[in-house]
Amino acid sequence: MTPPRPHPYAELCVTSNFTFLTGASHPEELVTRAAELGLAAIAITDRNSLAGVVRAYSALKEVTRLRAEAQAMAGGAQDGGQGGGPAGPRIRSQHVTDHSSRQTVAHFTGATPAPSLPDQPLPKLIAGARLVLTDSPVEWLALPTDLAAWSRLTRLLSLGKRRAPKGECHLTRADLLDWGAGMILIALPPDPLQDDAAKTAATKTAPADLRRLAQCFPGQCFLGAAPRYDGLDRDRCDALAVLAQAMNLPMVAAGDVLMHRSARRPLADVLTCLREGCTIDSIGTRRLANGEHRLKSGAEMARLFSRHPAALRRTLEIADRCAFQLSDLRYQYPDEAQNGEP
């Protein structure tokens, strides 16, 4: 029986545990799960931070090495069992404790079999950040397309951290306008189905913010549509599609991922309690209603956006435009020569 053809999809909105007390999975787990699901790309977009991207990059290199070894051993077994037969070495992994978070994560070096990965290209890793502004209700996924844009993004975040207390980052719309050149900017607006009586004056400014960024960065801005899994997502996507057309911003699908598997939902609730200063018994509606804020396959996302298939195709177009990779970075030792010294 021929397996079903996968639906190509790139997940562009992923929060790791480097967004403190929000993300419930390590970057390593997210990248490995993305490979298992056969995603075309995954963007690590932590809140006003690039901290999780380096760990994700290291994990993807390790997964690439493991699969190359597995393919080499499989070829050896087919050639007569030299170096890869049943008695030969196997790719293994062990679980180690990450002392920064006290969580146990997979480290592929030698205790249990490594995860099986589909025989298709591994996901592309996109470095980015989720920019939360102090003077706008709209959050922005900022994905640099080249090395110059990456440099601007790091400077933007450094600017926000220097002007804020330790552990915070204060950015404004003006900052994004000054430093946003060369980035793909995906807007995450407030919920369009929110009751009008509950909307604040700041929330009503969202369309103006969208219009201004779109005018300043033509061709770079998109409107993100992220399901909330509350039974209203069909109406919500339709409302966002109308807003996207009115703002002349192409709509793009986003999963708003907080965990690599739904089994992390209890941990996510504990993190919410720590963040909100409440107990698990009094968490109330702040608890995740379900475990759907997990990485999903292209087929699952295609079902969620069945009325808006172009929103899925645009994830692939954006992933292709994001040509910057961390491997492009090179250490440059500062020139110590002064006043024409040799």
Side-chain angles (χ1 to χ4, degrees):
M1 181 178 178
T2 303
R5 183 180 179 183
H7 293 264
Y9 172 67
E11 181 53 70
L12 303 177
C13 183
V14 178
T15 299
S16 79
N17 67 331
F18 279 83
T19 299
F20 189 53
L21 298 182
T22 300
S25 292
H26 291 258
E28 300 92 329
E29 296 169 322
L30 292 162
V31 167
T32 303
R33 181 59 178 159
E36 293 173 348
L37 293 171
L39 298 184
I42 178 173
I44 303 298
T45 53
D46 284 306
R47 178 188 174 103
N48 291 341
S49 173
L50 299 166
V53 173
V54 175
R55 290 267 291 270
Y57 175 68
S58 298
L60 187 58
K61 288 201 301 183
E62 182 69 1
V63 170
T64 302
R65 182 187 67 82
L66 290 174
R67 193 164 79 165
E69 289 185 3
Q71 292 171 345
M73 288 189 290
Q78 293 175 358
D79 292 338
Q82 297 181 356
R90 292 193 303 161
I91 296 177
R92 296 176 178 275
S93 67
Q94 65 183 9
H95 286 77
V96 299
T97 299
D98 173 22
H99 298 289
S100 65
S101 61
R102 299 183 181 179
Q103 294 184 19
T104 300
V105 298
H107 181 64
F108 303 116
T109 55
T112 57
S116 59
L117 302 176
D119 188 16
Q120 59 188 33
L122 293 175
K124 175 182 180 179
L125 176 63
I126 300 174
R130 183 170 183 155
L131 304 181
V132 181
L133 309 181
T134 59
D135 59 351
S136 173
V138 181
E139 299 180 2
W140 295 87
L141 303 177
L143 310 177
T145 59
D146 53 26
L147 182 58
W150 165 264
S151 178
R152 283 189 288 271
L153 179 57
T154 57
R155 293 182 183 182
L156 170 64
L157 294 173
S158 297
L159 174 67
K161 293 179 186 299
R162 285 200 305 266
R163 65 161 64 119
K166 184 177 180 180
E168 299 182 24
C169 183
H170 293 173
L171 297 172
T172 65
R173 287 172 289 186
D175 297 327
L176 184 55
L177 290 170
D178 289 340
W179 296 94
M183 303 179 202
I184 297 294
L185 298 172
I186 303 175
L188 300 176
D191 185 1
L193 300 186
Q194 183 180 7
D195 184 77
D196 289 339
K199 289 185 179 181
T200 63
T203 302
K204 294 179 181 179
T205 65
D209 293 347
L210 296 174
R211 188 176 291 108
R212 185 177 182 187
L213 263 294
Q215 291 173 347
C216 291
F217 302 114
Q220 294 179 220
C221 298
F222 297 81
L223 184 73
R228 295 179 182 246
Y229 312 106
D230 57 358
L232 301 175
D233 282 332
R234 178 172 174 173
D235 294 338
R236 181 173 291 109
C237 283
D238 290 346
L240 287 171
V242 172
L243 178 62
Q245 187 173 13
M247 297 291 105
N248 196 25
L249 292 175
M251 189 171 78
V252 59
D256 199 8
V257 173
L258 298 177
M259 63 195 86
H260 72 299
R261 291 182 181 272
S262 58
R264 286 294 169 84
R265 178 188 170 194
L267 175 60
D269 291 338
V270 171
L271 296 175
T272 299
C273 290
L274 294 173
R275 186 177 69 249
E276 299 291 336
C278 62
T279 65
I280 199 68
D281 293 327
S282 61
I283 187 174
T285 57
R286 291 169 288 188
R287 182 196 302 269
L288 288 180
N290 47 57
E292 291 302 309
H293 284 277
R294 56 177 172 82
L295 274 175
K296 292 182 172 64
S297 66
E300 290 178 290
M301 294 300 291
R303 287 194 295 270
L304 288 171
F305 288 88
S306 59
R307 292 164 59 87
H308 306 279
L312 260 71
R313 293 195 298 269
R314 291 190 184 103
T315 66
L316 304 174
E317 296 169 3
I318 290 173
D320 288 340
R321 291 177 60 181
C322 294
F324 169 76
Q325 299 292 311
L326 288 185
S327 57
D328 296 338
L329 298 176
R330 296 291 184 271
Y331 179 72
Q332 296 178 342
Y333 191 79
D335 187 1
E336 296 180 349
Q338 296 181 359
N339 301 323
E341 296 177 350

